[in-house]
Amino acid sequence: MKWKNRRHGDESPFMPAGPFKIRLPFIHYRFEWPDYVQGLLMCAVDLGAITLLGQHLHMPFEVALAVVVLNGLLYLFHHILGDPVIPGWITPAVPLIVLFVTQFPEGPDRVYALIAFQLTLGILSIILGITGLASKVVYMVPNAIKTGIILGAGIGAITSVFGAGGQFEKFPVTISICIGFAFYLTFSKSFERIRKNNKGFLFTLLGNLGILPAIFLAVIVAPLFGEANWPDIQWGFSKPDFSTLFAEYTVFGLGFPAVAFFLKAIPAVLATYLVVFGDVLKTKALLSESDAVRTDEKVDYNPNRAHLIFGGRNTLMSIIGPDITMCGPMWAAMQVVAIERYKEGKKAMNSFFGGIGSFRWGTNTALLLLPIVSLVQPILGVALALTLLVQGYVSVRIGIMQARSQRDLGIAGIVAALLVIKGAAWAFAVGILLCFLIYGKDFFKGEVDATFVKDSLDSSKNEEMKEVS
């Protein structure tokens, strides 16, 4: 096996293909069974997209399942083509996408809007990947507007759960209990101390599975409080309905969207891309942490290659199965879990590609197994709500930290509110106007004040460096 012959400090074996590095299981990487089993369980999160598709596009369950299966297959292309990530949704942008598509009447127009949005995002990502302009585009956006967009995405995620018609109306007790449990496991200082003081299997497992323990808790809590039926476990294989998907929800049956749909999508696509690029930056930072520990393997992360892959996924999905969750560059929670296991050494995970690849093979297997699908089907709305609320918490935190001054925060608050209420076009227009009025010639630069300690320290260090030079 080629993977057994990897020398210390080398990359895992691959077949070169232009900007891509092709790796196949059992040949180029060892199949990691622990990660595969974890993938079987975590497919519950992928299935949460079915609720969104049913709610906003009125897709039947089997048709929405077909979209999830197609998206799942494309998840595999990241590690196969050399991108060292566990890909997922563009979760923080889901409220932005929902806000955009619901501006159109239910039926073909709403599907056209989603197709135009996803295709535009895909083509933009591919162009930026080919030209290498991705970082320049993002850094041209003033910090105040970036703060507002990310903050608005977080607030939108929370309001989509608790607002009129949101999932909280259907599962108030279940969501209250399970989100408390999820937040405790994920963000609590108390649980972090327990994990550090107790290195046992149970606490490590609970900490590494993200929101999955809370989803399994929902399977029990929701029926107990009469908010869902007990699961009707069925045996066999799931039956995604591809024929109806192609006939009623894609360009094959509906035709190509008019140019007007693409023009209306541009502001929302730009707002979504800001979120996407944030995930690209986080990916690079996370992998840098593991590089310091695992010196036996070189893990090559190339943002341009990543853009080509998730851009290609969005482009293809817009044609064969448009999806509200979109195709994102990284599933942050599971990327962290995989990296932590990878840090345990070569015996635990021979190659990072083996871990992330085995995980995604696991989720794809589970989507076809009816017992797993039927187990979580009654509480898919809860799974979606938990995902959005956790992401809302993270987006608000990250969004605020993009600001550099109190003026940034003021502008960002208005941009965030407009994003949630009026959409991305209004948010960008007002944000640009406010930055011109408040910062003038310093439109792109903004200002740094003493509001954030991190920035005042960075600013003082820069001044010291200037004096020295």
Side-chain angles (χ1 to χ4, degrees):
M1 298 269 181
K2 289 186 177 181
W3 62 264
K4 291 184 177 180
N5 299 325
R6 187 184 82 232
R7 292 181 298 180
H8 188 90
D10 283 354
E11 291 186 61
S12 61
F14 62 88
M15 295 183 289
F20 306 113
K21 298 178 178 181
I22 299 174
R23 292 180 174 92
L24 302 175
F26 303 107
I27 299 173
H28 299 105
Y29 61 80
R30 185 179 77 185
F31 201 79
E32 304 288 351
W33 291 104
D35 299 278
Y36 176 79
V37 172
Q38 188 169 222
L40 288 174
L41 302 175
M42 290 302 289
C43 85
V45 176
D46 291 350
L47 290 167
I50 293 175
T51 302
L52 282 170
L53 294 168
Q55 182 177 349
H56 299 293
L57 297 184
H58 296 288
M59 274 190 187
F61 182 88
E62 289 76 13
V63 178
L65 178 61
V67 174
V68 173
V69 169
L70 290 172
N71 200 12
L73 289 172
L74 293 182
Y75 283 145
L76 294 169
F77 278 78
H78 278 263
H79 85 276
I80 288 176
L81 295 179
D83 192 27
V85 300
I86 294 178
W89 306 347
I90 309 178
T91 311
V94 167
L96 308 182
I97 301 160
V98 168
L99 187 64
F100 172 71
V101 299
T102 51
Q103 294 173 1
F104 299 85
E106 295 178 1
D109 277 3
R110 189 169 289 184
V111 179
Y112 283 139
L114 181 58
I115 292 171
F117 185 104
Q118 191 161 22
L119 182 56
T120 304
L121 178 63
I123 293 173
L124 172 65
S125 301
I126 291 173
I127 291 172
L128 293 176
I130 292 173
T131 59
L133 293 174
S135 58
K136 294 181 181 178
V137 170
V138 172
Y139 289 123
M140 286 176 62
V141 180
N143 288 318
I145 296 178
K146 276 193 284 191
T147 298
I149 294 296
I150 299 173
L151 181 61
I155 295 171
I158 297 165
T159 56
S160 69
V161 175
F162 290 104
Q167 299 302 320
F168 190 77
E169 291 183 355
K170 303 173 186 175
F171 309 96
V173 177
T174 307
I175 290 176
S176 298
I177 293 173
C178 293
I179 194 58
F181 185 50
F183 269 58
Y184 180 74
L185 294 182
T186 309
F187 304 117
S188 166
K189 280 188 170 183
S190 170
F191 185 71
E192 184 180 348
R193 285 194 296 268
I194 292 173
R195 283 189 65 189
K196 287 181 179 178
N197 295 332
N198 300 272
K199 299 292 186 179
F201 172 77
L202 177 60
F203 293 108
T204 302
L205 183 66
L206 285 173
N208 286 346
L209 287 181
I211 65 169
L212 185 64
I215 292 174
F216 282 145
L217 179 63
V219 173
I220 300 170
V221 171
L224 286 177
F225 286 91
E227 294 179 351
N229 297 323
W230 288 102
D232 178 19
I233 306 297
Q234 301 174 36
W235 301 99
F237 297 99
S238 60
K239 297 177 181 178
D241 186 354
F242 294 104
S243 60
T244 304
L245 171 64
F246 294 148
E248 299 182 14
Y249 296 93
T250 69
V251 297
F252 301 111
L254 298 176
F256 206 72
V259 174
F261 289 100
F262 290 91
L263 295 177
K264 291 178 180 177
I266 290 174
V269 167
L270 292 176
T272 299
Y273 181 74
L274 292 180
V275 177
V276 169
F277 191 77
D279 280 347
V280 171
L281 295 178
K282 281 186 283 185
T283 302
K284 194 169 184 178
L286 287 171
L287 289 171
S288 296
E289 293 178 8
S290 63
D291 287 342
V293 178
R294 287 291 301 270
T295 57
D296 62 288
E297 179 183 20
K298 178 184 176 183
V299 177
D300 173 36
Y301 177 69
N302 185 321
N304 293 327
R305 179 172 57 224
H307 274 73
L308 293 176
I309 298 173
F310 67 73
R313 285 171 53 215
N314 277 304
T315 301
L316 184 57
M317 283 299 292
S318 71
I319 303 299
I320 64 174
D323 183 8
I324 287 176
T325 61
M326 297 289 122
C327 304
M330 179 183 67
W331 181 357
M334 293 315 303
Q335 183 81 358
V336 170
V337 170
I339 285 175
E340 288 304 312
R341 210 174 82 77
Y342 179 63
K343 288 179 180 178
E344 293 176 10
K346 197 170 181 179
K347 288 184 178 179
M349 187 187 296
N350 181 274
S351 166
F352 190 63
F353 286 95
I356 60 177
S358 302
F359 175 86
R360 271 308 179 192
W361 284 113
T363 56
N364 274 275
T365 303
L367 292 175
L368 300 176
L369 298 177
L370 198 53
I372 296 177
V373 174
S374 59
L375 173 67
V376 298
Q377 184 173 351
I379 51 89
L380 288 180
V382 179
L384 175 63
L386 298 180
T387 302
L388 290 173
L389 291 175
V390 170
Q391 190 61 58
Y393 173 95
V394 173
S395 294
V396 169
R397 186 186 68 193
I398 293 174
I400 291 294
M401 297 310 291
Q402 294 292 315
R404 297 292 181 264
S405 68
Q406 293 184 29
R407 288 185 175 89
D408 277 359
L409 288 174
I411 296 170
I414 295 173
V415 170
L418 284 169
L419 184 67
V420 174
I421 299 168
K422 301 288 286 183
W426 274 87
F428 270 117
V430 173
I432 290 170
L433 178 61
L434 287 174
C435 285
F436 269 121
L437 290 173
I438 293 174
Y439 291 132
K441 61 183 178 61
D442 292 326
F443 174 84
F444 293 105
K445 182 180 177 182
E447 70 170 345
V448 175
D449 63 17
T451 301
F452 295 91
V453 175
K454 62 181 179 64
D455 294 320
S456 60
L457 290 175
D458 289 343
S459 180
S460 62
K461 287 179 182 178
N462 290 334
E463 290 300 324
E464 290 175 6
M465 290 297 291
K466 287 179 182 177
E467 290 177 5
V468 171
S469 60

